[in-house]
Amino acid sequence: MYVAVKGGEAAIDAAHGWLAEERRGDARVPELTVAQIREQMTLAVDRVMAEGSLWDPDLAALAIKQARGDLIEAVFLLRAYRTTLPRFGASVPVDTGAMLCDRRVSATFKDLPGGQVLGPTFDYTHRLLDFALMAEGEVPPARERTAEPGPVPHVVAVLDREGLIQREAEGEGPVPDLTREPLELPADRALRLQALARGDEGFLLGLAYSTQRGYGRTHAFVGELRTGTVTVEVEVPELGFAIALGEVVLTECETVNQFAGSRTEPPQFTRGYGLTLGRTERKALAMSLVDRALRWRELGEDFVGAPAQDEEFVLSHCDNVQATGFLEHIKLPHYVDFQSELELVRRLRREAAEGATREAAE
Amino acid sequence: MTGLDALSGGFATPALDSARAFRAAMEALARPGTIREVAGAAPPGPLSPAAGVLILTLCDPSTPLHLAGGWDVPAVRDWVAFHAGAPLVAAERAAFAVGDWAALRPLGRFAQGTPDYPDRSATLIVEVPRLAADGARLTGPGIRGETWLSLPAPVEPLVANAARFPLGVDLFLTHGHRLAALPRSTRIG
Amino acid sequence: MTDYNFAYLDEDTKRMIRRAILKALAVPGYQVPFASREMPMPYGWGTGGVQVSAAILTPEDVMKVIDQGADDTTNAVSIRRFFEKTAGVATTTRTAEATVIQTRHRIPETPLREGQVLVYQVPIPEPLRFLEPRETETRRMHALEDYGLMHVKLYEDIARHGRIATSYAYPVKVEGRYVMDPSPIPKFDNPRLKSEAIQLFGAGREQRIYALPPHCRVESLDFEDHPFEASKADHPCALCGATGSYLDEVITDDAGGRMFVCSDTDFCATRRGEAA
């Protein structure tokens, strides 16, 4: 005799217990510490902070541990925590020109003030598995060199001085906050950049790649890519000046894009912009290409129907926490709606069969 | 300088008081014509306790508030600033407004919503000298058949407001510790 | 974090949601944008409904959570636990005893009464979304009351299948003005959208809240020669014998054996004289 299914509660408890055990893995292998993840899985930590929109390496490392290395799940954990935090205020805009760069490359000029600094990059490593790492050996300390003193000027400022690149207007009014206000379309550039900055790296990578292959091509050169530390400051009204709260690592990418000019404007370059938390270079590059592609309207270009040009498409689908939640919800029970479809299909088939029988009889 | 009075009269347990108050306000708005009792706020006059409860429950620094006529007095301003932090603004910019019927008219000054976003309209808290289930006949969503409510006179601006649906303002009527609501969807007469 | 605010959400967030709920009730069927928060459960799993419930709950409430009509489906259990933990409210499986009912995909069979609130979890709030994917376009259509696209779709169904081939999330027109998606309830439930209770619809990922006040005019879209029909599988419930309730189909063996039982588990248990 069938009885209505019960036991959801017990099943959930059992699943959680099993999950915890699986996360720990073989108990004979020492447990990972959060500090180990923070120090040795830094690019994963940075990605989780960037897409989680929260600078906290310890909590990002904890999230990665808890999520068993599933980075989207870790981003989700960090976001859900972030929502519960009180807002004390907004910082003054960070000055990326004053960044203490440990990486800075330009693809447009061979040399320039501040120099080309490769920094800790995979770029010229040969992708050969390093079996020495399996032996858990310590690496020798890297060679050190004293940095050249003084700030590193933005490469694009060189073009700016010559009037060769389009001037960007100063933003007006308060910066919108996607996490406190519903997304409204069409969006302005500040809101677009905000959405892209916390968007999924893989999604932006695919979109950026598609522009390179002709789906909304923008002829991008990397004017500059820099990674380093900036100081975060807040204005304290009682003091009348800004005080430093701490430092964060940012990656900034400015692309220089071809632009033919129009009847009203002489030929000049335009730019795409990417700014992301942490060492998230692929993301910053992709973001700058997508940003540029989305600017077709303001720059008087044609909409060629490319996905990367389509603001509503890009902004509505770039958030991986939203996307994964909705994608995965289809594994929840849908007995009721499926039953209604079943009933409909059976009825339509019955009616079709009856119709056919009637026709045969006539 | 904020007086001592401004510091008192707020919710004793904000999360619970505002939860109960909101539920009453929601039921009132969902069932136009019904009258609910609310508690928890003791604002300075002429603000009624019910209007004070609505302000504590719905207003904060993100909702510009207009104090109309005799309600724009230092004691009320200080109380609102301390307990809700809502910026005080002119009628045209207000998300909420409080005052008596004479001071709140004409309604056209307030945000009416737009065809794309009819929700972007003001909510008015009208302090009334009397609140009872008699007077004007009301029909529409939330009402089984018909009901009656004592509306402030003149009633014509309210009839005109309803005629603008889906645009228009929404009203709470407050008196002492009691409130009723008149959303723009309610037809009058 | 062990110390939650009542019903989890901070007071600023609750106020923002409460304001949206009031506007939603004032303009029945219109989707009010709201700044949905990231909840500690995935988008698509009821975050909109959870935020609406959190914003309306009082300590005195008795809450019921159902998914597919049942209290014991895993996601319903998970959401009920969330509110037991964060709001400390009493919970029940009895429709008649509940003051707030959060639901996914069903309206309880037992008629709701004044004083009850039904909160729907909504995946895609825009009834025109699968006809026109752009928000900028559908917003304009609602503003202009331009629902021609929807009528064309329904008419094409009739031309192709002889009837309207929409069996759930069947669109309704509210108070003769806004076309609304009632969430993916079976169309069998549509007549019960006209209710004594307040009905609130929360779509978290899509950042929309909409509402039906009690006694609201809700008409399922149809044509004069093809009137709306609230259909269901033509069987009685194998457990309680009810003939007028919506049914789940249960496969009992791999030789085509099947039976039909009430989807509303409280309704079925009550009829069988069991305390659920």
Side-chain angles (χ1 to χ4, degrees):
Chain A
M1 168 66 189
Y2 171 83
V3 287
V5 185
K6 296 246 178 193
E9 198 134 5
I12 288 176
D13 286 339
H16 289 178
W18 195 353
L19 174 69
E21 193 180 298
E22 285 285 304
R23 183 194 60 70
R24 176 60 184 86
D26 187 342
R28 289 168 300 184
V29 177
E31 182 169 1
L32 260 179
T33 67
V34 167
Q36 284 170 338
I37 298 169
R38 186 194 63 223
E39 296 302 320
Q40 297 174 43
M41 292 285 142
T42 46
L43 298 185
V45 168
D46 284 359
R47 180 173 174 190
V48 169
M49 292 193 297
E51 291 168 30
S53 302
L54 183 73
W55 179 267
D56 194 321
D58 284 302
L59 292 184
L62 171 63
I64 292 168
K65 176 174 175 172
Q66 187 179 332
R68 305 173 63 191
D70 179 334
L71 296 190
I72 292 182
E73 181 70 20
V75 168
F76 182 14
L77 285 169
L78 207 60
R79 289 254 195 107
Y81 171 75
R82 181 190 191 273
T83 332
T84 66
L85 300 176
R87 295 288 168 99
F88 297 117
S91 76
V92 297
V94 293
D95 180 4
T96 54
M99 180 186 278
L100 285 172
C101 297
D102 52 31
R103 173 161 167 77
R104 190 269 199 132
V105 292
S106 169
T108 51
F109 296 102
K110 186 167 182 179
D111 199 10
L112 61 167
Q116 304 261 18
V117 181
L118 280 185
T121 177
F122 289 125
D123 281 357
Y124 305 102
T125 62
H126 293 153
R127 269 55 168 207
L128 303 168
L129 278 175
D130 182 357
F131 294 103
L133 290 178
M134 279 188 109
E136 298 170 28
E138 288 296 327
V139 292
R143 265 193 301 149
E144 290 196 27
R145 205 193 79 184
T146 315
E148 287 171 30
V152 181
H154 277 118
V155 173
V156 174
V158 176
L159 296 171
D160 213 0
R161 217 168 300 131
E162 265 189 86
L164 288 175
I165 193 159
Q166 201 199 27
R167 281 267 156 84
E168 298 298 342
E170 284 290 324
E172 285 168 24
V175 178
D177 185 346
L178 199 54
T179 67
R180 311 299 278 188
E181 297 143 30
L183 174 65
E184 192 180 327
L185 296 163
D188 66 10
R189 189 166 176 224
L191 195 62
R192 287 202 308 247
L193 288 170
Q194 197 175 111
L196 298 180
R198 57 196 248 126
D200 181 71
E201 179 177 310
F203 182 79
L204 295 185
L205 169 65
L207 281 176
Y209 178 47
S210 73
T211 70
Q212 291 182 294
R213 291 194 65 260
Y215 288 82
R217 186 163 182 223
T218 62
H219 314 270
F221 298 102
V222 173
E224 178 170 0
L225 178 67
R226 58 168 65 191
T227 297
T229 310
V230 296
T231 304
V232 178
E233 297 177 316
V234 285
E235 296 270 12
V236 182
E238 288 80 4
L239 296 180
F241 55 87
I243 57 164
L245 282 185
E247 293 180 332
V248 298
V249 174
L250 296 178
T251 301
E252 183 184 50
C253 178
E254 268 193 294
T255 58
V256 177
N257 303 69
Q258 209 175 27
F259 177 58
S262 66
R263 214 164 285 158
T264 52
E265 289 193 62
Q268 58 181 345
F269 294 107
T270 58
R271 44 187 135 192
Y273 188 70
L275 183 70
T276 51
L277 272 183
R279 284 168 217 283
T280 41
E281 187 169 305
R282 187 184 298 120
K283 166 78 174 283
L285 274 166
M287 177 175 168
S288 60
L289 264 63
V290 175
D291 169 52
R292 180 59 186 76
L294 288 172
R295 301 182 70 192
W296 63 271
R297 197 191 305 267
E298 74 182 272
L299 298 174
E301 296 169 339
D302 289 334
F303 178 73
V304 299
Q309 288 183 307
D310 188 331
E311 169 184 287
E312 185 161 347
F313 178 81
V314 174
L315 298 194
S316 303
H317 302 111
C318 67
D319 188 297
N320 54 25
V321 176
Q322 290 178 1
T324 200
F326 198 55
L327 177 83
E328 296 196 40
H329 108 282
I330 62 173
K331 64 196 174 192
L332 286 178
H334 284 79
Y335 320 136
V336 164
D337 16 347
F338 183 67
Q339 186 59 39
S340 65
E341 292 274 84
L342 256 183
E343 200 258 340
L344 178 67
V345 171
R346 280 177 183 145
R347 179 188 293 229
L348 291 175
R349 288 172 63 93
R350 194 165 58 235
E351 285 169 356
E354 284 163 8
T357 314
R358 242 190 340 267
E359 268 173 36
E362 278 163 8
Chain B
M1 188 69 202
T2 302
L4 259 187
D5 287 354
L7 306 183
S8 65
F11 285 148
T13 49
L16 305 184
D17 291 341
S18 62
R20 294 183 181 111
F22 174 71
R23 196 61 169 277
M26 180 178 90
E27 284 283 346
L29 193 96
R31 301 173 197 280
T34 62
I35 297 170
R36 317 262 153 186
E37 194 135 322
V38 290
L47 204 55
S48 69
V53 163
L54 286 174
I55 288 171
L56 294 184
T57 304
L58 299 172
C59 299
D60 58 32
S62 69
T63 55
L65 173 68
H66 175 67
L67 299 177
W71 274 252
D72 188 14
V73 293
V76 173
R77 273 185 241 140
D78 289 347
W79 191 82
V80 166
F82 182 77
H83 292 282
L88 300 180
V89 297
E92 290 73 15
R93 288 186 46 221
F96 287 86
V98 62
D100 63 11
W101 188 225
L104 286 168
R105 285 178 289 134
L107 299 186
R109 297 177 298 156
F110 295 98
Q112 308 284 314
T114 65
D116 279 0
Y117 295 95
D119 55 302
R120 294 180 181 172
S121 68
T123 302
L124 310 187
I125 301 168
V126 190
E127 303 265 32
V128 291
R130 179 172 171 277
L131 190 58
D134 57 34
R137 176 175 173 271
L138 310 181
T139 56
I143 300 165
R144 194 215 309 246
E146 56 187 357
T147 189
W148 288 264
L149 186 66
S150 55
L151 298 183
V155 78
E156 287 72 24
L158 297 174
V159 175
N161 184 57
R164 304 194 64 185
F165 182 87
L167 305 187
V169 299
D170 306 303
L171 294 84
F172 281 102
L173 309 182
T174 51
H175 177 78
H177 283 88
R178 297 182 311 138
L179 61 82
L182 194 71
R184 67 193 91 169
S185 58
T186 301
R187 295 177 283 276
I188 299 162
Chain C
M1 194 175 70
T2 51
D3 205 13
Y4 304 99
N5 190 29
F6 174 72
Y8 185 76
L9 297 175
D10 61 276
E11 291 303 299
D12 280 343
T13 300
K14 279 193 232 164
R15 266 192 298 274
M16 176 270 295
I17 296 172
R18 286 167 179 165
R19 290 191 294 262
I21 290 172
L22 294 184
K23 288 300 174 194
L25 284 164
V27 190
Y30 164 73
Q31 304 161 51
V32 180
F34 83 111
S36 175
R37 300 292 194 248
E38 265 127 354
M39 298 299 286
M41 56 197 64
Y43 283 120
W45 297 52
T47 56
V50 166
Q51 289 179 80
V52 168
S53 290
I56 66 163
L57 274 180
T58 70
E60 292 75 36
D61 273 313
V62 179
M63 193 175 189
K64 170 180 166 85
V65 184
I66 49 173
D67 188 338
Q68 315 298 301
D71 299 86
D72 202 45
T73 36
T74 42
N75 204 42
V77 169
S78 169
I79 290 171
R80 186 163 60 239
R81 275 188 174 182
F82 177 77
F83 283 111
E84 283 171 349
K85 191 164 152 192
T86 60
V89 291
T91 55
T92 184
T93 58
R94 309 298 296 263
T95 301
E97 289 168 10
T99 52
V100 173
I101 303 172
Q102 182 168 326
T103 183
R104 179 168 168 262
H105 295 189
R106 276 310 312 274
I107 298 176
E109 305 284 353
T110 310
L112 300 182
R113 54 176 163 75
E114 182 169 344
Q116 291 183 309
V117 185
L118 184 59
V119 178
Y120 294 76
Q121 300 172 201
V122 181
I124 301 279
E126 178 50 69
L128 305 167
R129 183 60 71 233
F130 301 114
L131 306 173
E132 168 52 64
R134 281 175 200 281
E135 159 72 14
T136 39
E137 285 296 311
T138 53
R139 181 161 294 281
R140 193 189 53 80
M141 291 177 189
H142 284 295
L144 298 176
E145 211 177 337
D146 173 9
Y147 297 122
L149 207 55
M150 179 64 88
H151 287 104
V152 167
K153 190 261 171 203
L154 297 177
Y155 194 78
E156 281 176 355
D157 272 5
I158 293 170
R160 187 171 306 141
H161 303 294
R163 61 173 61 245
I164 293 173
T166 297
S167 60
Y168 62 93
Y170 192 102
V172 296
K173 195 159 199 183
V174 181
E175 285 291 324
R177 177 58 182 82
Y178 287 99
V179 167
M180 186 193 100
D181 181 320
S183 89
I185 56 173
K187 69 177 183 176
F188 174 79
D189 283 347
N190 271 26
R192 261 169 300 138
L193 289 164
K194 196 174 161 76
S195 174
E196 298 266 334
I198 296 174
Q199 298 173 84
L200 304 175
F201 298 77
R205 191 180 38 76
E206 299 279 337
Q207 308 187 308
R208 298 289 184 271
I209 288 172
Y210 52 104
L212 294 174
H215 316 292
C216 201
R217 229 170 78 224
V218 183
E219 292 146 325
S220 302
L221 298 184
D222 61 2
F223 296 93
E224 248 170 50
D225 47 346
H226 283 91
F228 172 82
E229 189 192 352
S231 61
K232 69 178 213 36
D234 190 16
H235 297 272
C237 169
L239 297 181
C240 74
T243 52
S245 68
Y246 195 74
L247 302 170
D248 279 342
E249 182 170 337
V250 180
I251 309 294
T252 50
D253 55 40
D254 57 3
R258 68 191 68 230
M259 63 192 287
F260 290 86
V261 295
C262 289
S263 122
D264 183 334
T265 49
D266 170 61
F267 175 79
C268 192
T270 304
R271 280 178 51 87
R272 283 178 288 140
E274 286 177 20

